[in-house]
């Protein structure tokens, strides 16, 4: 009885994911999918991915590593829901096609920052069953699976990566894959996100030399010249005077 109930549960979950994949694909094909441009916390986004994938790995006895390379701001503008769908499709496959004791690594790097946007590289690597080189050119085709037994042994519809590639391209990104049978697979997604002004506001709180005005008072000409020489290159606006009286006069003049 217990076994039958479990089987019914599995079938229901499989059918639901199949229906969702077919609906997603048909929305994409009819051009109804839009990419939203909303500010989101990158930190929270990554945290949610880590919790979801970490949980799946723990349940299956896999190791999960997440590396963040270089500096990443707190906020960006883009479609975090779709970005999550991209990552979870790839990482979900990584978990599905990796056997107990294997490992999954997610690497996130901001590779460039220009004209108000940042380029990101997400690298998702597993030490799973891998794929044959001959299959890789077909991997992003709808309904493609490496072999006919995949659905029966691992489930799935062969639509996940077709949907993923479409969404990545809608975000002006690219997706590539490298794999070796019996060794593992690496998926790399490169895509841009718009920079948020909320980070700029935070950065503005830090003092920039070119925003500073310094009034240097000393009756010794050598000290005054020394101060000028040191501060000249830093961009600070510097005025030097000889006496306290001169300094007060200058301040009154400027106000
Ligand atoms: P599915 O629903 O079958 O997972 P996908 O489009 O997500 O469909 O993947 C297509 C096929 O690509 C899978 O059935 C599997 O054969 C292969 N594949 C995808 N990711 C991996 C991976 N990390 N390791 C090994 N094979 C993979």
């Amino acid at each position: 009885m217990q076994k039958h109930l479990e089987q019914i549960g599995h079938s229901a979950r499989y059918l639901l994911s199949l229906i969702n994949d077919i609906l997603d694909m048909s929305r994409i094909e009819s051009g109804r999918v839009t990419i939203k441009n909303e500010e989101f916390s990158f930190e929270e986004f990554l945290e949610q991915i880590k919790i979801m994938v970490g949980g799946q790995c723990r349940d299956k006895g896999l190791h999960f590593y997440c590396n963040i390379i270089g500096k990443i701001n707190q906020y960006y503008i883009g479609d975090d829901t779709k970005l999550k769908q991209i990552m979870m499709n790839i990482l979900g496959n990584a978990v599905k096609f990796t056997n107990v004791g294997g490992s999954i690594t997610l690497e996130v790097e901001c590779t460039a920052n220009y004209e108000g946007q940042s380029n990101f590289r997400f690298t998702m690597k597993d030490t799973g069953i891998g794929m044959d080189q001959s299959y890789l050119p077909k991997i992003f085709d709808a309904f493609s699976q490496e072999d006919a037994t995949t659905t029966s042994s691992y489930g799935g519809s062969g639509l996940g990566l077709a949907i993923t590639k479409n969404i990545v391209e809608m975000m002006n990104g690219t997706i590539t894959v490298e794999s070796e049978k019996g060794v593992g697979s690496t998926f790399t997604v490169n895509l841009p996100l718009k920079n948020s002004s909320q980070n700029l506001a935070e950065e503005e709180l830090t003092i920039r030399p070119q925003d500073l005005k310094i009034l240097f008072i000393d009756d010794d000409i050598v000290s005054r010249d020394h101060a000028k020489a040191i501060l000249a290159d830093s961009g600070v606006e510097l005025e030097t005077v000889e006496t306290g009286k001169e300094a007060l006069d200058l301040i009154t003049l400027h106000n």
Side-chain angles (χ1 to χ4, degrees), residues 14 21 89-98 124-126 128-131 135 138-147 150-151 154-164 177 179 184-187:
Y14 173 62
D21 279 355
N89 257 330
I90 299 172
L91 290 164
N93 276 343
V95 172
K96 188 159 80 171
F97 295 107
T98 303
M124 287 148 279
K125 192 177 157 81
D126 65 63
I129 62 168
M131 288 166 275
Y135 174 65
K138 287 176 273 180
I139 190 170
F140 299 112
D141 293 351
F143 299 109
S144 92
Q145 292 185 318
E146 186 172 15
D147 65 77
T150 303
T151 306
Y154 294 98
S157 62
L159 279 173
L161 287 174
I163 295 168
T164 303
V177 57
S179 190
S185 312
T186 304
F187 286 81

Side-chain angles (χ1 to χ4, degrees), residues 2 9 14 29 42-43 60 100 111 136-137 174 199 241 250:
Q2 170 84 13
Y14 173 62
E29 283 176 343
F42 199 85
E43 203 178 288
K60 203 178 163 184
V100 183
T111 52
L136 297 182
T174 57
N199 301 316
V241 287
L250 203 67

Side-chain angles (χ1 to χ4, degrees), residues 25-224:
M25 203 61 211
S26 92
R27 264 187 228 116
I28 287 170
E29 283 176 343
S30 59
R32 272 163 209 230
V33 175
T34 47
I35 302 295
K36 65 178 186 184
N37 264 315
E38 280 168 16
E39 186 174 77
F40 67 95
S41 158
F42 199 85
E43 203 178 288
E44 267 172 41
F45 155 78
L46 259 191
E47 203 47 46
Q48 287 167 8
I49 300 274
K50 280 200 260 178
I51 290 172
M52 285 190 279
V53 182
Q56 290 180 11
C57 285
R58 214 172 308 118
D59 290 348
K60 203 178 163 184
L62 306 174
H63 304 280
F64 176 54
Y65 306 99
C66 180
N67 302 325
I68 295 164
I69 304 166
K71 183 183 181 293
I72 291 179
N73 286 334
Q74 166 117 43
Y75 297 98
Y76 289 94
I77 296 169
D79 195 326
D80 60 328
T81 312
K82 294 268 182 329
L83 193 53
K84 217 172 283 163
Q85 191 177 351
I86 294 171
M87 314 263 299
M88 288 313 296
N89 257 330
I90 299 172
L91 290 164
N93 276 343
V95 172
K96 188 159 80 171
F97 295 107
T98 303
N99 295 323
V100 183
S103 59
I104 316 280
T105 310
L106 164 65
E107 221 168 72
V108 183
E109 184 177 5
C110 179
T111 52
N113 192 326
Y114 63 98
E115 288 170 9
Q117 67 176 35
S118 298
N119 278 1
F120 280 89
R121 181 187 297 140
F122 300 93
T123 313
M124 287 148 279
K125 192 177 157 81
D126 65 63
T127 61
I129 62 168
M131 288 166 275
D132 204 89
Q133 298 303 309
S134 62
Y135 174 65
L136 297 182
K138 287 176 273 180
I139 190 170
F140 299 112
D141 293 351
F143 299 109
S144 92
Q145 292 185 318
E146 186 172 15
D147 65 77
T149 57
T150 303
T151 306
S152 51
S153 39
Y154 294 98
S157 62
L159 279 173
L161 287 174
I163 295 168
T164 303
K165 186 176 163 77
N166 271 287
I167 302 175
V168 168
E169 287 175 354
M170 274 183 222
M171 290 177 148
N172 299 320
T174 57
I175 177 167
T176 54
V177 57
E178 282 168 48
S179 190
E180 201 180 325
K181 199 102 194 146
V183 177
S185 312
T186 304
F187 286 81
T188 308
V189 172
N190 280 289
L191 54 80
L193 291 173
K194 292 193 185 72
N195 293 338
S196 156
S197 55
Q198 211 167 316
N199 301 316
L200 293 181
E202 277 170 22
E203 275 161 22
E204 272 164 14
L205 289 176
T206 59
I207 296 166
R208 301 185 311 159
Q210 57 266 42
D211 294 336
L212 292 177
K213 280 185 187 170
I214 292 184
L215 177 57
F216 187 86
I217 313 154
D218 201 309
D219 56 359
D220 178 16
I221 179 128
V222 178
S223 299
R224 291 203 303 275

